[in-house]
């Protein structure tokens, strides 16, 4: 029995260490988040176009473009009008989509032992073309008039465009209700572990160039289309569309745009 507990402890320590930070202060904080793509087309504010493999540094709103001569061109959002990417490279070191599912069944007594599986995020589609546009943004500080250029992913058509920003966040999890606090439990497993996941934040890009945050996507979107709110809500209900799902929310925004009076 002692040997079995020792083995389980080794497995769980390895899982806990592979998930990132090990200090309570890092819980629910943004982690450095970089995504790499095999190809891109970048339209600069000067009107020039560049192409090549691209790395998107999300926290800094910076892209690093590898040129044909293997030199690297670093560009901030202020220099970029828009860019399209494809061939996303999966990096399992950055995040763990199915953290709770992976923990289920490791040992009886785990708070996730009999927990139903969480909905999975969409898997990386290397053939998908993703479009990013630059908007001036107050970084969700509603009390500040200062805005700086930032990258937003375009998810719908216009004139009101559904936008998304992804962030990598670190969260804490307790390794069992009977092992509260910090330190290690009897299996040699840290009582508090940390994992990383991607968090979506949605926005509405308005024809004026302003960015409207959709902190509560359903409530805020219906408020933005107040005159058509009942029609939009009924459309979502009839088609079983989820306001928190990126793809389905894009359908809802496209429908909302179709209800707008033509200029």
């Amino acid at each position: 029995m002692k040997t079995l507990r020792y083995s389980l402890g080794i497995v769980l320590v390895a899982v806990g260490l592979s998930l990132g930070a090990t200090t309570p202060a890092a819980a629910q904080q943004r982690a450095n988040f970089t995504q790499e793509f095999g190809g891109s087309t970048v339209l600069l504010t000067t009107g020039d176009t560049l192409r090549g493999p691209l790395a998107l540094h999300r926290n800094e709103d910076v892209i690093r473009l590898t040129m044909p001569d293997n030199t690297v061109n670093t560009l901030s959002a202020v220099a970029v009008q828009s860019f399209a990417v494809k061939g996303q490279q999966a990096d399992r070191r950055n995040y763990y989509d199915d953290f709770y599912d992976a923990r289920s069944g490791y040992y009886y007594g785990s708070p996730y032992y009999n927990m139903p599986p969480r909905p999975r995020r969409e898997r990386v589609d290397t053939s998908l073309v993703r479009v990013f546009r630059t908007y001036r943004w107050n970084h969700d500080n509603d009390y500040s008039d200062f805005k700086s250029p930032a990258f937003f992913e375009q998810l719908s058509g216009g004139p009101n465009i559904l936008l998304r920003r992804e962030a990598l966040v670190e969260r804490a999890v307790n390794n069992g209700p009977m092992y509260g606090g910090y330190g290690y439990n009897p299996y040699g497993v840290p009582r508090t572990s940390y994992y990383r996941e991607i968090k979506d934040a949605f926005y509405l890009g308005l024809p004026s160039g302003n960015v409207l945050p959709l902190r509560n996507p359903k409530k805020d979107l219906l408020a933005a289309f107040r005159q058509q709110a009942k029609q939009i809500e009924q459309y979502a209900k009839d088609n079983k569309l989820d306001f928190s799902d990126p793809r389905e929310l894009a359908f809802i925004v496209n429908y909302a745009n179709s209800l707008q009076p033509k200029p």
Side-chain angles (χ1 to χ4, degrees):
M1 188 63 158
K2 184 180 292 185
T3 302
L4 176 58
R5 290 185 178 183
Y6 181 75
S7 299
L8 284 171
I10 291 176
V11 170
L12 286 167
V13 168
V15 171
L17 291 177
S18 70
L19 295 177
T22 57
T23 60
Q28 300 188 34
Q29 292 186 355
R30 289 205 315 170
N32 289 329
F33 188 18
T34 300
Q35 291 175 312
E36 297 183 355
F37 302 88
S40 72
T41 299
V42 180
L43 177 61
L44 304 181
T45 54
T46 61
D48 295 329
T49 300
L50 303 177
R51 293 181 175 85
L54 180 147
L56 170 59
H57 298 264
R58 287 193 173 265
N59 294 31
E60 298 81 11
D61 284 301
V62 166
I63 58 175
R64 291 171 60 85
L65 190 66
T66 302
M67 308 304 292
D69 60 0
N70 288 325
T71 60
V72 176
N73 199 345
T74 301
L75 301 164
S76 65
V78 71
V80 177
Q81 180 176 322
S82 62
F83 62 94
V85 293
K86 66 179 298 184
Q88 181 176 346
Q89 310 297 311
D91 185 357
R92 302 307 300 172
R93 297 170 301 173
N94 267 343
Y95 60 92
Y96 206 97
D97 284 341
D98 303 303
F99 172 73
Y100 290 103
D101 291 350
R103 290 177 57 88
S104 294
Y106 270 123
Y107 66 101
Y108 184 76
S110 161
Y112 314 110
Y113 185 78
N114 293 316
M115 188 176 180
R118 298 197 318 164
R120 291 176 177 267
R121 286 183 61 89
E122 296 178 7
R123 297 304 183 192
V124 172
D125 182 352
T126 57
S127 65
L128 178 67
V129 175
R130 301 171 66 179
V131 175
F132 293 79
R133 299 188 181 278
T134 300
Y135 285 81
R136 297 188 67 83
W137 178 44
N138 65 0
H139 296 263
D140 290 336
N141 185 351
D142 296 337
Y143 301 99
S144 173
D145 292 329
F146 176 76
K147 297 180 181 180
S148 61
F151 295 134
F152 292 81
E153 182 178 3
Q154 178 176 345
L155 300 183
S156 77
N160 299 283
I161 302 173
L162 177 63
L163 304 172
R164 173 172 68 178
R165 282 181 63 89
E166 293 177 317
L168 191 64
V169 295
E170 293 179 333
R171 301 187 187 278
V173 63
N174 195 307
N175 284 316
M178 72 283 289
Y179 308 128
Y182 299 105
Y184 289 81
N185 66 32
Y187 297 108
V189 182
R191 287 174 176 161
T192 303
S193 298
Y194 298 86
Y195 69 100
R196 293 176 175 183
E197 68 176 4
I198 295 177
K199 179 182 179 182
D200 289 333
F202 299 112
Y203 301 83
L204 201 62
L206 306 178
S208 63
N210 293 325
V211 175
L212 175 69
L214 302 178
R215 297 185 177 98
N216 181 323
K218 181 177 182 179
K219 177 183 176 182
D220 294 341
L221 185 66
L222 294 179
F225 294 95
R226 192 176 304 277
Q227 293 183 350
Q228 298 83 21
K230 290 184 178 179
Q231 292 171 268
I232 295 170
E233 192 168 13
Q234 189 63 47
Y235 171 81
K237 182 178 180 180
D238 292 344
N239 292 278
K240 297 181 172 60
L241 298 177
D242 185 348
F243 281 80
S244 63
D245 180 272
R247 184 169 178 269
E248 295 179 12
L249 184 57
F251 289 145
I252 297 172
V253 172
N254 282 334
Y255 175 72
N257 279 319
S258 74
L259 300 177
Q260 299 303 295
K262 303 301 179 184

